[in-house]
Amino acid sequence: MPVFAYKGRSNRGDLVQGTLEGLDSGVIADQLLNTGITPTEIRQTTQAVRKGSNPEISLWQRLTAEKKVDVMELMLFSRQMYTLLKAGVPIMRALAGLQESTRNPVFAAMLQDMRESLDSGRELSIAMRRHPKVFSPFYLSMVQVGEMTGMLDQTFLRLYEHLEFEKEMKERIKSAVRYPMFVLIAMAIAIVIVNIFVIPAFAKVFEGFHAELPLMTKILMGFSGFMVQTWPILLALLIGGVVAFRSWINTVEGRYKWDRYKLHIPIAGRIIMKATLARFARSLALSFKSGIPIVQGLNSVGLVVDNEFMRSRVEQMRDGVERGESILRTATTTGVFNPTVLQMIAVGEETGDMDGLMFEIAGMYEREVEYEIKTLSANIEPIMIVLLGGMVLILALGIFLPMWDLGKVALHR
């Protein structure tokens, strides 16, 4: 990926310079603006972004350093930084201690690079910006505000709580979707096995009687014969469909439509919607509480929300606020908040306690998500029973009914 050297001014007017990786200069400018830096010069350079000077790290590890730092390590880093800074330990000494204690050599290389950046006179947020795959724009904005307000220790505590909440929400969404997906996959496998192995065995038995078969049996046998003869083609079509679907959702339009459709999936869609709104509300509340300007906060929160449809609604709110509209008006026009939440936003604007009210909204959505997950099995079981019952009924009519008729004919003889 190309490397760009940039120069800019921070919110305090300080000169900031460094290097970032990106597809083009526009992407670099967006990254800088999202973190509160106004770029004055961006140019492509052949200089590589430094990943650390630890000789024990292989070249491949250095090239993939950001990819190998998971959320748990980032959470632990945030919590440890809060503890060390609160105890009065200088940042350089804190980073050195964390570098010595970590067991991940790639993470140690990143900390080494941050120490070198700080040693050269850069701020902590600037040093973190050199690793955009590890630290999100929201994380960087929070750290920058913490540096400006002198509350860096509290900022790391809030970031730890935010990352913990994000991880919990993602796990809840996965648990909500896992059960129905498992049941549907199991039913699909059962249908394939029955049509390829079971029904052909019964078909040979029926052919030996030379009798007229019921319509349902003919349909089942015809469908089974079709699957037996064309299963390689069907398998190829299935694989091609999966590849095409993954390619489609990797496009901007495809990802937007798929993320919008996910919110309307029966039962699971409600959970995904409420979990996404909870993440949005908590992230926005955290940015308000940390003193991030509302426009910059909405921009950063939009990057945190892991849903393109919801991100477009957040950007719609940001654009409305930039035009001078109230948060309540912009939230109403998005059409994703219920009247109770809109009323709480109105109260928050009137009282000036938007961060507290947004935390309340996040808590409300969290409780609803928890309740929806607890009742998920009770909501899905009737649907699964009906589907399984329908499948058994079709098999009974198609296979056992002709055997019953043939048995009665044999008895009359």
Side-chain angles (χ1 to χ4, degrees):
M1 188 175 292
V3 179
F4 292 85
Y6 67 87
K7 293 181 181 179
R9 296 283 179 179
S10 66
N11 292 334
R12 295 180 294 182
D14 298 332
L15 178 63
V16 178
Q17 58 183 354
T19 57
L20 282 175
E21 292 180 342
L23 296 175
D24 52 38
S25 59
V27 174
I28 301 300
D30 290 339
Q31 291 184 19
L32 295 174
L33 291 171
N34 291 337
T35 54
I37 295 178
T38 303
T40 57
E41 180 184 352
I42 299 177
R43 56 182 176 82
Q44 188 171 353
T45 177
T46 57
Q47 178 184 1
V49 179
R50 295 170 64 190
K51 300 293 182 186
S53 56
N54 192 338
E56 299 179 0
I57 306 300
S58 65
L59 176 61
W60 173 252
Q61 288 176 322
R62 292 180 184 179
L63 292 174
T64 59
E66 289 85 351
K67 297 181 181 179
K68 294 190 176 183
V69 178
D70 56 21
V71 177
M72 289 299 297
E73 288 176 317
L74 190 58
M75 288 172 57
L76 182 61
F77 167 77
S78 303
R79 183 71 186 190
Q80 290 174 330
M81 285 296 292
Y82 161 71
T83 304
L84 292 171
L85 294 178
K86 187 178 180 180
V89 178
I91 293 180
M92 288 291 290
R93 190 183 302 174
L95 292 175
L98 294 179
Q99 181 182 351
E100 293 175 1
S101 62
T102 184
R103 297 184 178 181
N104 186 348
V106 175
F107 192 69
M110 188 193 71
L111 294 176
Q112 174 66 25
D113 179 73
M114 291 171 57
R115 289 177 59 196
E116 293 175 358
S117 297
L118 291 173
D119 193 47
S120 63
R122 295 189 178 99
E123 297 178 344
L124 180 61
S125 58
I126 304 300
M128 290 180 171
R129 194 173 292 112
R130 294 164 60 85
H131 305 275
K133 295 180 182 178
V134 178
F135 303 106
S136 66
F138 182 79
Y139 197 105
L140 296 173
S141 298
M142 291 284 293
V143 172
Q144 187 176 24
V145 171
E147 290 176 324
M148 294 170 60
T149 59
M151 299 177 61
L152 197 55
D153 54 344
Q154 293 297 321
T155 299
F156 277 113
L157 177 61
R158 293 169 185 169
L159 285 170
Y160 167 77
E161 295 172 348
H162 170 74
L163 292 171
E164 186 179 32
F165 169 76
E166 288 281 299
K167 182 175 180 295
E168 184 180 358
M169 280 292 104
K170 289 181 179 178
E171 290 178 352
R172 287 183 177 181
I173 292 175
K174 289 181 180 178
S175 65
V177 179
R178 186 180 298 119
Y179 177 69
M181 288 299 297
F182 174 78
V183 174
L184 292 176
I185 292 173
M187 289 182 62
I189 294 174
I191 291 173
V192 171
I193 292 175
V194 167
N195 280 279
I196 293 180
F197 298 103
V198 178
I199 294 180
F202 280 98
K204 295 179 180 179
V205 175
F206 295 152
E207 290 174 358
F209 288 106
H210 303 288
E212 182 68 20
L213 299 175
L215 177 62
M216 183 60 69
T217 305
K218 292 180 179 179
I219 294 174
L220 282 178
M221 291 177 61
F223 183 71
S224 174
F226 172 75
M227 289 194 65
V228 170
Q229 294 176 3
T230 62
W231 70 264
I233 300 176
L234 295 175
L235 181 61
L237 289 175
L238 177 62
I239 296 174
V242 171
V243 173
F245 174 76
R246 292 181 65 88
S247 301
W248 177 66
I249 62 175
N250 285 331
T251 63
V252 176
E253 182 181 2
R255 171 57 64 179
Y256 175 84
K257 291 182 176 179
W258 171 242
D259 285 345
R260 182 177 60 182
Y261 172 75
K262 284 193 298 185
L263 302 178
H264 296 89
I265 297 175
I267 302 176
R270 296 200 307 265
I271 301 177
I272 297 174
M273 169 68 86
K274 292 175 181 178
T276 303
L277 290 174
R279 294 172 63 192
F280 160 76
R282 182 170 287 272
S283 302
L284 189 59
L286 193 58
S287 64
F288 284 152
K289 190 173 183 179
S290 300
I292 298 177
I294 181 171
V295 174
Q296 183 180 343
L298 286 170
N299 197 49
S300 299
V301 169
L303 298 174
V304 172
V305 176
D306 190 20
N307 186 289
E308 289 298 327
F309 176 75
M310 289 299 301
R311 181 175 293 121
S312 68
R313 294 299 180 265
V314 175
E315 292 174 353
Q316 180 181 338
M317 291 180 62
R318 179 202 61 194
D319 296 339
V321 172
E322 284 182 332
R323 292 192 300 266
E325 299 178 6
S326 64
I327 301 177
L328 174 62
R329 181 177 177 82
T330 57
T332 304
T333 56
T334 60
V336 297
F337 298 101
N338 60 43
T340 303
V341 174
L342 294 175
Q343 185 177 1
M344 295 176 71
I345 292 176
V347 173
E349 282 192 306
E350 292 177 2
T351 60
D353 187 26
M354 277 299 298
D355 55 342
L357 267 296
M358 293 304 291
F359 274 123
E360 289 292 332
I361 293 172
M364 182 187 70
Y365 278 126
E366 289 174 39
R367 290 188 292 270
E368 291 186 7
V369 168
E370 192 171 347
Y371 174 78
E372 293 279 358
I373 292 176
K374 287 181 180 178
T375 59
L376 180 63
S377 298
N379 293 329
I380 290 180
E381 282 176 2
I383 301 175
M384 297 295 105
I385 291 173
V386 171
L387 292 176
L388 289 173
M391 189 170 69
V392 171
L393 178 62
I394 292 173
L395 291 175
L397 292 175
I399 296 177
F400 299 111
L401 184 60
M403 294 181 65
W404 175 260
D405 292 339
L406 292 173
K408 288 195 297 184
V409 171
L411 289 175
H412 285 298
R413 289 181 181 178

